[in-house]
Every structure is written in structure tokens, then in C-alpha cells.
Amino acid sequence: GAGVSQSPSNKVTEKGKDVELRCDPISGHTALYWYRQRLGQGLEFLIYFQGNSAPDKSGLPSDRFSAERTGESVSTLTIQRTQQEDSAVYLCASSWGQTSYEQYFGPGTRLTVT
Amino acid sequence: AQSVTQLGSHVSVSEGALVLLRCNYSSSVPPYLFWYVQYPNQGLQLLLKYTTGATLVKGINGFEAEFKKSETSFHLTKPSAHMSDAAEYFCAVSYGGATNKLIFGTGTLLAVQP
């Protein structure tokens, strides 16, 4: 079956511009996560959605970052007024739900801010 | 704060040699433990996980890991390295709860020499 998909795969933007990253989770997965992977570092948790519950935004690094999810489907991560330190690979993962420990990852979006 | 430490950002082994990638976590509360592998330009793939039960867990591609509570460790091993094992390996933990987010180590890049 189809895995987690993300688009675009690569995005180059100028400092100060806004960007939107998209994630399509595996069908039926109610939980969705966004992580950030900066060069030479591990993945950092950004935000978590579970069904129609309020998202856990505790990992968002600043108010320039926001994310939305429509029901149990597509999610978009928006970064406003991008800065060079936002350059990273943004990974999305989904799982069956809160009690499922296995997260399935998409291929990521490589964001470069020039 | 909980953290995950992977000793050795780069490990090089010869084909056919033992692979040992180290992972330690910081919490006194045993977490759920995971190893993920990331091939170039791909998302993360789950190799194996420990949640409960037997402390020696077997995963895909001949890898296994042993949870040692007394050492707060979850080292990854493979008896005989193959060229196709060259990739980056991430250890991660989760403490369940409302989010079940993963906390990652900084990764170990495994090179396999012919």
C-alpha cells in the first residue's frame, strides 16, 4: 500500500518568504507527526495531531511555525518569514493512533533558505 | 530532559565484520526503544523496537538489539555486515503518554568497506 508522502521533495526559498510543506499520511492512520532534521543532528519533534483532538504544538520552535490537519488526512506545515536557520529536512510520520508505537515516515522535504 | 546518546557519529566496518552501534538513554524510567535506518534521500525505516517482554529483539535485515535496563542501553548489532547496510542509523525513545513522540539520538553513519 501507499506510504507517507510529502511534497515538495525539495524547496529553495529566499529569506523572509513563507513556505508550505505538505504531508499525506497512510490512509487510516489517525496520528500524524512533524519532525525537523537539521544537518548533523537528530530529528526534533515539532507537532502532533491525533484525530480531532487539539494538537500538541510543544515542539514548534517559534510562532513563525504553524501546522494544520484536516480531519485524519492531509497536513500542512507553514513557516512564515523563513530564516536561514530553518534550513533542514522536514519529516512527517503517521501511526495508527495514540497507542501505536510504530511511526511510519515519509521521505521528507529538504528546505533550503538562501 | 530526556535524551538519547549515540556514541560514534561515524562507524566503519569491513564487510563480514560485526556491526555494533551504541545507544544510551538518560531516563530512569524505561522507555520504549527504537532503531531506525535512513538510506540516502529516503525517509526513516523502522529496524526494530522494544516495548515490553523479551529484552533481546530481532529486526529486519539481520539486526538485533538488547535492552539492558541496568545500563540504560539499547545497542544495535549485526553479526556480519553487508555492503547494503551502509546507511545512517538512529536510536529513538518514546515515553508513551498523550503524544508518544519520539526523541532521537544524533545518528550514526555506518560505512561498510569491501
Side-chain angles (χ1 to χ4, degrees):
Chain A
V4 178
S5 61
Q6 293 185 244
S7 60
S9 56
N10 282 282
K11 176 72 177 179
V12 180
T13 190
E14 292 180 352
K15 178 181 172 181
K17 301 283 189 185
D18 297 352
V19 295
E20 269 193 5
L21 313 180
R22 176 187 169 105
C23 171
D24 278 276
I26 292 172
S27 178
H29 281 192
T30 60
L32 187 146
Y33 303 78
W34 283 98
Y35 293 86
R36 177 172 71 175
Q37 184 179 22
R38 287 191 280 193
L39 191 64
Q41 301 184 26
L43 281 74
E44 308 167 73
F45 166 77
L46 296 178
I47 189 168
Y48 162 73
F49 295 91
Q50 169 59 47
N52 293 317
S53 302
D56 177 350
K57 305 179 181 180
S58 60
L60 294 179
S62 78
D63 59 8
R64 296 186 295 104
F65 287 71
S66 63
E68 293 183 347
R69 187 182 186 195
T70 307
E72 294 181 354
S73 61
V74 170
S75 175
T76 55
L77 176 69
T78 301
I79 308 174
Q80 296 179 308
R81 304 181 302 282
T82 52
Q83 303 294 312
Q84 288 187 329
E85 63 262 28
D86 299 333
S87 295
V89 177
Y90 290 82
L91 288 155
C92 175
S94 67
S95 72
W96 286 108
Q98 184 178 333
T99 57
S100 172
Y101 305 115
E102 185 163 347
Q103 296 180 25
Y104 296 81
F105 282 81
T109 294
R110 182 176 299 277
L111 174 66
T112 304
V113 183
T114 61
Chain B
Q2 294 113 350
S3 64
V4 177
T5 302
Q6 291 184 241
L7 274 179
S9 58
H10 291 78
V11 170
S12 182
V13 300
S14 298
E15 192 173 19
L18 170 73
V19 176
L20 170 61
L21 304 182
R22 299 178 185 275
C23 174
N24 288 85
Y25 61 91
S26 63
S27 172
S28 59
V29 176
Y32 306 115
L33 297 147
F34 306 82
W35 276 99
Y36 282 86
V37 60
Q38 186 176 33
Y39 297 102
N41 300 315
Q42 294 186 30
L44 276 71
Q45 180 182 7
L46 182 67
L47 271 180
L48 48 78
K49 67 183 181 216
Y50 170 79
T51 54
T52 59
T55 56
L56 180 63
V57 293
K58 296 185 185 297
I60 61 172
N61 302 338
F63 284 93
E64 62 182 37
E66 186 172 11
F67 168 52
K68 292 187 176 180
K69 183 179 176 181
S70 61
E71 299 178 6
T72 61
S73 69
F74 191 56
H75 301 330
L76 182 71
T77 60
K78 182 174 180 178
S80 177
H82 191 273
M83 297 295 290
S84 61
D85 295 327
E88 189 153 25
Y89 293 80
F90 291 93
C91 180
V93 304
S94 168
Y95 293 91
T99 301
N100 218 16
K101 66 184 180 185
L102 293 169
I103 301 167
F104 284 86
T106 52
T108 297
L109 188 62
L110 176 67
V112 182
Q113 308 299 329

Short mmCIF file of all heavy atoms in Angstrom, two decimals, chain A residues 33 35 37 40-43 45 48 56 58 91 98-103 105-107 110, chain B residues 32 34 36 38 41-44 46 49 51 88 90 97-102 104-106:
data_model
loop_
_atom_site.label_atom_id
_atom_site.label_comp_id
_atom_site.label_asym_id
_atom_site.label_seq_id
_atom_site.Cartn_x
_atom_site.Cartn_y
_atom_site.Cartn_z
N TYR A 33 2.70 13.20 12.85
CA TYR A 33 3.79 13.93 13.50
C TYR A 33 4.59 14.69 12.44
O TYR A 33 4.78 14.20 11.32
CB TYR A 33 4.76 12.96 14.19
CG TYR A 33 4.16 12.04 15.21
CD1 TYR A 33 3.45 10.90 14.83
CD2 TYR A 33 4.32 12.28 16.57
CE1 TYR A 33 2.91 10.04 15.77
CE2 TYR A 33 3.80 11.42 17.52
CZ TYR A 33 3.09 10.31 17.11
OH TYR A 33 2.56 9.46 18.05
N TYR A 35 8.53 16.30 12.21
CA TYR A 35 9.84 16.38 12.83
C TYR A 35 10.74 17.22 11.92
O TYR A 35 10.52 17.33 10.71
CB TYR A 35 10.49 14.99 12.97
CG TYR A 35 9.82 14.06 13.94
CD1 TYR A 35 8.75 13.25 13.53
CD2 TYR A 35 10.25 13.97 15.26
CE1 TYR A 35 8.14 12.37 14.42
CE2 TYR A 35 9.65 13.09 16.15
CZ TYR A 35 8.59 12.29 15.72
OH TYR A 35 8.00 11.44 16.61
N GLN A 37 14.89 17.75 10.85
CA GLN A 37 16.22 17.16 10.92
C GLN A 37 17.22 18.16 10.36
O GLN A 37 17.30 18.35 9.14
CB GLN A 37 16.26 15.85 10.12
CG GLN A 37 17.58 15.12 10.19
CD GLN A 37 17.56 13.82 9.40
OE1 GLN A 37 16.76 13.63 8.48
NE2 GLN A 37 18.46 12.91 9.73
N GLY A 40 23.52 17.17 10.58
CA GLY A 40 24.37 16.67 11.66
C GLY A 40 23.66 16.47 12.98
O GLY A 40 24.31 16.19 13.99
N GLN A 41 22.34 16.60 12.97
CA GLN A 41 21.59 16.45 14.22
C GLN A 41 20.52 15.40 14.06
O GLN A 41 20.17 15.00 12.95
CB GLN A 41 20.96 17.79 14.62
CG GLN A 41 21.98 18.90 14.82
CD GLN A 41 21.32 20.18 15.31
OE1 GLN A 41 20.27 20.14 15.93
NE2 GLN A 41 21.94 21.30 15.03
N GLY A 42 20.03 14.96 15.18
CA GLY A 42 18.92 14.02 15.15
C GLY A 42 17.63 14.74 14.82
O GLY A 42 17.59 15.93 14.59
N LEU A 43 16.56 13.99 14.79
CA LEU A 43 15.27 14.58 14.50
C LEU A 43 14.69 15.25 15.74
O LEU A 43 14.79 14.71 16.84
CB LEU A 43 14.28 13.51 14.02
CG LEU A 43 14.42 13.06 12.58
CD1 LEU A 43 15.64 12.18 12.37
CD2 LEU A 43 13.16 12.33 12.14
N PHE A 45 11.19 16.76 17.39
CA PHE A 45 9.73 16.76 17.33
C PHE A 45 9.22 18.19 17.18
O PHE A 45 9.69 19.10 17.87
CB PHE A 45 9.17 16.13 18.60
CG PHE A 45 7.70 16.36 18.82
CD1 PHE A 45 6.77 15.64 18.11
CD2 PHE A 45 7.27 17.32 19.73
CE1 PHE A 45 5.41 15.85 18.32
CE2 PHE A 45 5.94 17.54 19.95
CZ PHE A 45 4.99 16.81 19.24
N TYR A 48 2.21 17.35 16.84
CA TYR A 48 1.50 16.06 16.81
C TYR A 48 0.01 16.30 16.69
O TYR A 48 -0.56 17.14 17.41
CB TYR A 48 1.82 15.29 18.09
CG TYR A 48 0.89 14.15 18.45
CD1 TYR A 48 0.93 12.95 17.74
CD2 TYR A 48 0.00 14.25 19.51
CE1 TYR A 48 0.11 11.89 18.09
CE2 TYR A 48 -0.83 13.21 19.86
CZ TYR A 48 -0.77 12.02 19.16
OH TYR A 48 -1.58 10.97 19.51
N ASP A 56 -0.66 18.80 19.77
CA ASP A 56 0.44 19.08 20.69
C ASP A 56 1.48 19.90 19.93
O ASP A 56 2.19 19.35 19.10
CB ASP A 56 1.04 17.78 21.21
CG ASP A 56 2.23 18.00 22.14
OD1 ASP A 56 2.74 19.15 22.24
OD2 ASP A 56 2.69 17.03 22.75
N SER A 58 4.02 21.56 21.26
CA SER A 58 5.10 21.90 22.19
C SER A 58 6.48 21.95 21.54
O SER A 58 7.40 22.55 22.10
CB SER A 58 5.11 20.90 23.35
OG SER A 58 5.32 19.59 22.86
N LEU A 91 10.40 16.11 8.17
CA LEU A 91 9.86 14.76 8.01
C LEU A 91 8.50 14.65 8.66
O LEU A 91 8.27 15.19 9.75
CB LEU A 91 10.81 13.74 8.65
CG LEU A 91 12.12 13.51 7.88
CD1 LEU A 91 13.21 13.03 8.80
CD2 LEU A 91 11.91 12.51 6.77
N GLN A 98 -2.79 6.79 19.09
CA GLN A 98 -2.02 7.18 20.26
C GLN A 98 -1.29 6.01 20.89
O GLN A 98 -0.20 6.16 21.42
CB GLN A 98 -2.96 7.82 21.26
CG GLN A 98 -2.31 8.37 22.50
CD GLN A 98 -3.33 9.03 23.40
OE1 GLN A 98 -4.35 9.51 22.93
NE2 GLN A 98 -3.08 9.03 24.67
N THR A 99 -1.89 4.82 20.82
CA THR A 99 -1.29 3.66 21.50
C THR A 99 -0.40 2.84 20.58
O THR A 99 0.15 1.83 20.99
CB THR A 99 -2.38 2.75 22.08
OG1 THR A 99 -3.26 2.36 21.02
CG2 THR A 99 -3.16 3.48 23.16
N SER A 100 -0.26 3.28 19.35
CA SER A 100 0.62 2.57 18.44
C SER A 100 2.01 3.15 18.53
O SER A 100 2.19 4.36 18.39
CB SER A 100 0.11 2.68 17.00
OG SER A 100 1.06 2.15 16.11
N TYR A 101 2.98 2.33 18.75
CA TYR A 101 4.32 2.84 18.94
C TYR A 101 5.10 2.96 17.66
O TYR A 101 6.18 3.55 17.65
CB TYR A 101 5.06 1.93 19.93
CG TYR A 101 4.32 1.78 21.22
CD1 TYR A 101 3.80 0.55 21.63
CD2 TYR A 101 4.11 2.87 22.05
CE1 TYR A 101 3.09 0.43 22.81
CE2 TYR A 101 3.41 2.76 23.23
CZ TYR A 101 2.90 1.54 23.61
OH TYR A 101 2.20 1.42 24.76
N GLU A 102 4.62 2.40 16.60
CA GLU A 102 5.37 2.41 15.35
C GLU A 102 4.93 3.57 14.48
O GLU A 102 3.76 3.69 14.12
CB GLU A 102 5.18 1.09 14.60
CG GLU A 102 6.02 0.99 13.35
CD GLU A 102 6.12 -0.43 12.85
OE1 GLU A 102 5.76 -1.36 13.58
OE2 GLU A 102 6.57 -0.61 11.70
N GLN A 103 5.87 4.43 14.17
CA GLN A 103 5.62 5.56 13.29
C GLN A 103 6.23 5.28 11.92
O GLN A 103 7.37 4.82 11.83
CB GLN A 103 6.21 6.85 13.88
CG GLN A 103 5.55 7.23 15.20
CD GLN A 103 6.12 8.49 15.80
OE1 GLN A 103 6.67 9.35 15.11
NE2 GLN A 103 5.99 8.61 17.12
N PHE A 105 7.49 6.87 8.41
CA PHE A 105 8.00 8.16 7.97
C PHE A 105 7.90 8.35 6.47
O PHE A 105 8.08 7.40 5.69
CB PHE A 105 9.47 8.32 8.39
CG PHE A 105 9.63 8.66 9.83
CD1 PHE A 105 9.57 7.67 10.81
CD2 PHE A 105 9.84 9.97 10.23
CE1 PHE A 105 9.72 7.99 12.16
CE2 PHE A 105 9.99 10.29 11.57
CZ PHE A 105 9.92 9.31 12.53
N GLY A 106 7.64 9.59 6.06
CA GLY A 106 7.74 9.96 4.67
C GLY A 106 9.18 10.27 4.29
O GLY A 106 10.07 10.25 5.15
N PRO A 107 9.42 10.56 3.01
CA PRO A 107 10.79 10.81 2.53
C PRO A 107 11.34 12.18 2.91
O PRO A 107 12.53 12.42 2.78
CB PRO A 107 10.66 10.67 1.02
CG PRO A 107 9.23 11.04 0.75
CD PRO A 107 8.44 10.57 1.93
N ARG A 110 13.27 18.69 1.80
CA ARG A 110 14.52 19.40 2.09
C ARG A 110 14.30 20.87 1.82
O ARG A 110 14.07 21.26 0.67
CB ARG A 110 15.66 18.86 1.26
CG ARG A 110 17.01 19.53 1.55
CD ARG A 110 18.13 18.89 0.77
NE ARG A 110 18.30 17.49 1.11
CZ ARG A 110 18.99 17.05 2.15
NH1 ARG A 110 19.58 17.91 2.96
NH2 ARG A 110 19.10 15.76 2.38
N TYR B 32 10.11 3.15 25.71
CA TYR B 32 10.02 2.28 24.56
C TYR B 32 11.21 2.67 23.66
O TYR B 32 11.55 3.84 23.56
CB TYR B 32 8.70 2.47 23.83
CG TYR B 32 7.51 2.30 24.74
CD1 TYR B 32 6.66 3.36 25.02
CD2 TYR B 32 7.25 1.07 25.33
CE1 TYR B 32 5.58 3.21 25.86
CE2 TYR B 32 6.18 0.91 26.18
CZ TYR B 32 5.34 1.99 26.45
OH TYR B 32 4.28 1.83 27.30
N PHE B 34 13.64 2.24 20.03
CA PHE B 34 13.54 2.00 18.59
C PHE B 34 14.90 2.22 17.92
O PHE B 34 15.70 3.04 18.38
CB PHE B 34 12.55 2.98 17.94
CG PHE B 34 11.20 3.01 18.56
CD1 PHE B 34 10.95 3.76 19.70
CD2 PHE B 34 10.15 2.29 18.01
CE1 PHE B 34 9.70 3.79 20.30
CE2 PHE B 34 8.89 2.31 18.60
CZ PHE B 34 8.67 3.06 19.74
N TYR B 36 15.96 3.11 13.92
CA TYR B 36 15.55 3.41 12.56
C TYR B 36 16.78 3.49 11.67
O TYR B 36 17.87 3.87 12.12
CB TYR B 36 14.83 4.76 12.49
CG TYR B 36 13.40 4.75 12.97
CD1 TYR B 36 13.09 4.90 14.32
CD2 TYR B 36 12.35 4.61 12.06
CE1 TYR B 36 11.77 4.90 14.75
CE2 TYR B 36 11.03 4.60 12.48
CZ TYR B 36 10.75 4.76 13.83
OH TYR B 36 9.43 4.75 14.24
N GLN B 38 18.15 5.10 7.88
CA GLN B 38 17.84 6.08 6.83
C GLN B 38 18.85 5.93 5.70
O GLN B 38 20.04 6.19 5.89
CB GLN B 38 17.88 7.50 7.39
CG GLN B 38 17.43 8.55 6.40
CD GLN B 38 17.39 9.94 7.01
OE1 GLN B 38 18.20 10.28 7.88
NE2 GLN B 38 16.45 10.76 6.57
N ASN B 41 18.58 10.06 0.85
CA ASN B 41 17.40 10.65 0.21
C ASN B 41 16.12 9.85 0.43
O ASN B 41 15.20 9.90 -0.39
CB ASN B 41 17.65 10.82 -1.30
CG ASN B 41 18.83 11.73 -1.56
OD1 ASN B 41 18.97 12.78 -0.95
ND2 ASN B 41 19.72 11.30 -2.44
N GLN B 42 16.09 9.12 1.51
CA GLN B 42 14.87 8.38 1.85
C GLN B 42 14.44 8.72 3.27
O GLN B 42 15.19 9.29 4.05
CB GLN B 42 15.11 6.88 1.73
CG GLN B 42 15.37 6.41 0.30
CD GLN B 42 15.45 4.91 0.20
OE1 GLN B 42 14.82 4.18 0.97
NE2 GLN B 42 16.22 4.42 -0.76
N GLY B 43 13.21 8.35 3.59
CA GLY B 43 12.72 8.54 4.94
C GLY B 43 13.27 7.47 5.86
O GLY B 43 14.04 6.61 5.46
N LEU B 44 12.87 7.53 7.09
CA LEU B 44 13.34 6.56 8.09
C LEU B 44 12.51 5.30 8.02
O LEU B 44 11.30 5.34 7.86
CB LEU B 44 13.22 7.15 9.50
CG LEU B 44 14.36 8.03 9.97
CD1 LEU B 44 14.35 9.35 9.23
CD2 LEU B 44 14.29 8.26 11.47
N LEU B 46 11.77 1.68 10.12
CA LEU B 46 11.93 1.03 11.41
C LEU B 46 12.68 -0.29 11.25
O LEU B 46 12.29 -1.15 10.47
CB LEU B 46 10.57 0.78 12.05
CG LEU B 46 10.60 0.15 13.44
CD1 LEU B 46 11.19 1.12 14.46
CD2 LEU B 46 9.19 -0.26 13.87
N LYS B 49 12.05 -2.64 17.42
CA LYS B 49 11.55 -1.87 18.56
C LYS B 49 11.45 -2.77 19.78
O LYS B 49 11.28 -4.00 19.67
CB LYS B 49 10.19 -1.27 18.24
CG LYS B 49 9.09 -2.30 18.07
CD LYS B 49 7.76 -1.64 17.68
CE LYS B 49 6.68 -2.72 17.55
NZ LYS B 49 5.73 -2.47 16.51
N THR B 51 9.15 -2.75 23.29
CA THR B 51 8.11 -2.12 24.10
C THR B 51 7.98 -2.86 25.43
O THR B 51 8.13 -2.28 26.49
CB THR B 51 6.77 -2.06 23.36
OG1 THR B 51 6.41 -3.38 22.91
CG2 THR B 51 6.85 -1.15 22.15
N GLU B 88 22.55 5.60 7.55
CA GLU B 88 22.59 6.26 8.85
C GLU B 88 21.55 5.60 9.77
O GLU B 88 20.43 5.33 9.35
CB GLU B 88 22.30 7.76 8.73
CG GLU B 88 22.54 8.52 10.02
CD GLU B 88 22.91 9.97 9.80
OE1 GLU B 88 22.54 10.53 8.76
OE2 GLU B 88 23.56 10.55 10.72
N PHE B 90 19.53 5.63 13.47
CA PHE B 90 19.06 6.49 14.55
C PHE B 90 18.41 5.65 15.64
O PHE B 90 17.54 4.81 15.37
CB PHE B 90 18.03 7.50 14.05
CG PHE B 90 18.59 8.55 13.14
CD1 PHE B 90 18.57 8.37 11.76
CD2 PHE B 90 19.12 9.72 13.66
CE1 PHE B 90 19.09 9.34 10.92
CE2 PHE B 90 19.65 10.70 12.82
CZ PHE B 90 19.64 10.50 11.45
N GLY B 97 2.46 8.17 26.79
CA GLY B 97 1.72 9.36 27.17
C GLY B 97 0.81 9.83 26.06
O GLY B 97 0.52 9.10 25.11
N ALA B 98 0.41 11.06 26.16
CA ALA B 98 -0.60 11.59 25.24
C ALA B 98 -0.07 11.73 23.82
O ALA B 98 -0.82 11.64 22.86
CB ALA B 98 -1.10 12.94 25.74
N THR B 99 1.23 11.93 23.70
CA THR B 99 1.78 12.24 22.39
C THR B 99 2.51 11.06 21.75
O THR B 99 2.44 10.85 20.56
CB THR B 99 2.73 13.43 22.46
OG1 THR B 99 2.03 14.55 22.96
CG2 THR B 99 3.32 13.76 21.11
N ASN B 100 3.24 10.32 22.57
CA ASN B 100 4.04 9.22 22.05
C ASN B 100 5.11 9.70 21.07
O ASN B 100 5.52 8.96 20.17
CB ASN B 100 3.15 8.19 21.36
CG ASN B 100 3.59 6.77 21.62
OD1 ASN B 100 4.37 6.51 22.52
ND2 ASN B 100 3.12 5.86 20.79
N LYS B 101 5.57 10.93 21.25
CA LYS B 101 6.58 11.46 20.33
C LYS B 101 7.89 10.72 20.54
O LYS B 101 8.18 10.19 21.61
CB LYS B 101 6.78 12.95 20.57
CG LYS B 101 7.37 13.28 21.92
CD LYS B 101 7.47 14.78 22.12
CE LYS B 101 8.07 15.10 23.49
NZ LYS B 101 8.07 16.56 23.75
N LEU B 102 8.69 10.71 19.49
CA LEU B 102 9.99 10.07 19.53
C LEU B 102 11.07 11.11 19.85
O LEU B 102 11.05 12.22 19.34
CB LEU B 102 10.30 9.40 18.20
CG LEU B 102 9.42 8.20 17.84
CD1 LEU B 102 9.64 7.78 16.39
CD2 LEU B 102 9.71 7.03 18.77
N PHE B 104 15.06 11.44 19.47
CA PHE B 104 16.08 10.79 18.67
C PHE B 104 17.49 11.12 19.15
O PHE B 104 17.78 12.22 19.65
CB PHE B 104 15.98 11.24 17.21
CG PHE B 104 14.85 10.61 16.45
CD1 PHE B 104 13.58 11.17 16.48
CD2 PHE B 104 15.06 9.46 15.70
CE1 PHE B 104 12.54 10.58 15.77
CE2 PHE B 104 14.03 8.88 14.98
CZ PHE B 104 12.76 9.44 15.02
N GLY B 105 18.38 10.17 18.93
CA GLY B 105 19.80 10.45 19.01
C GLY B 105 20.24 11.16 17.75
O GLY B 105 19.47 11.35 16.82
N THR B 106 21.52 11.54 17.72
CA THR B 106 22.03 12.33 16.60
C THR B 106 22.44 11.47 15.41
O THR B 106 22.84 12.00 14.39
CB THR B 106 23.22 13.19 17.04
OG1 THR B 106 24.18 12.35 17.68
CG2 THR B 106 22.77 14.28 18.00
#
